Amino acid sequence: QHLKIAVNGAGRFYIPNVINSIGNLDVRQGYKVYFDAPEQLALTGSWVSIVTPIELSAGWNFISYLAAGDLDAAVALQSILSDLTIVKDDAGNFFIPGIINSLGKMKLKKGYKVYMKNSATLVYPVVAAGQNSTQNLAKVHNPKPSRF
């Protein structure tokens, strides 16, 4: 097994066969996962509604992207725009409302680091006609170590 450590937004971590202070994975959160070599990571679980509320506190948060299709960051994050300072991905792209969007679209199977001025509740919009209101938990292939 090449998984070395997984960390959530609260700083809790999982090290295989050593410690699990994360507990069960939460579909509303994003995680930083580090491998020492390419490996397939398969996650299974219950279907999750796209409109599942994600509670965000003031300061930094890790979030998952629940929508079934890619959405422009301003559209995907419309429910929190007034309290949002910046969103970053693991490739160094970012979104600052009304200023710059090098992030472009938010994507399925991606996690994001979000800085909030105030606490708020994120609810992703269902915008495409015929878009499912639920989705399965994602399978992530060949994840690479990432840093924010």
Side-chain angles (χ1 to χ4, degrees):
Q1 183 173 359
H2 297 285
L3 174 64
K4 293 301 173 191
I5 188 170
V7 181
N8 71 6
R12 295 187 179 106
F13 53 92
Y14 167 75
I15 299 173
N17 303 314
V18 177
I19 190 167
N20 181 3
S21 63
I22 291 175
N24 292 330
L25 295 179
D26 183 340
V27 298
R28 298 167 294 177
Q29 291 189 21
Y31 297 87
K32 288 194 285 187
V33 181
Y34 297 92
F35 293 84
D36 64 2
E39 185 171 322
Q40 182 176 347
L41 175 64
L43 304 175
T44 60
S46 302
W47 288 69
V48 177
S49 172
I50 290 170
V51 294
T52 298
I54 300 174
E55 299 297 326
L56 303 172
S57 57
W60 287 108
N61 300 264
F62 288 166
I63 62 169
S64 59
Y65 180 65
L66 301 178
D70 298 352
L71 283 178
D72 183 81
V75 174
L77 301 169
Q78 64 189 7
S79 65
I80 60 167
L81 283 179
S82 63
D83 294 305
L84 177 65
T85 301
I86 189 170
V87 177
K88 300 181 346 179
D89 70 9
D90 62 346
N93 299 306
F94 56 94
F95 168 68
I96 300 173
I99 298 175
I100 191 167
N101 183 5
S102 65
L103 190 66
K105 294 184 176 189
M106 296 183 74
K107 300 179 184 308
L108 183 64
K109 301 182 184 180
K110 298 292 271 178
Y112 297 89
K113 192 169 182 181
V114 178
Y115 190 86
M116 302 293 294
K117 294 178 250 183
N118 302 298
S119 60
T121 302
L122 170 61
V123 178
Y124 292 112
V126 178
V127 295
Q131 185 176 25
N132 292 331
S133 62
T134 59
Q135 74 176 50
N136 201 348
L137 292 172
K139 277 191 176 178
V140 181
H141 298 282
N142 296 321
K144 296 178 183 172
S146 59
R147 295 188 185 103
F148 289 101

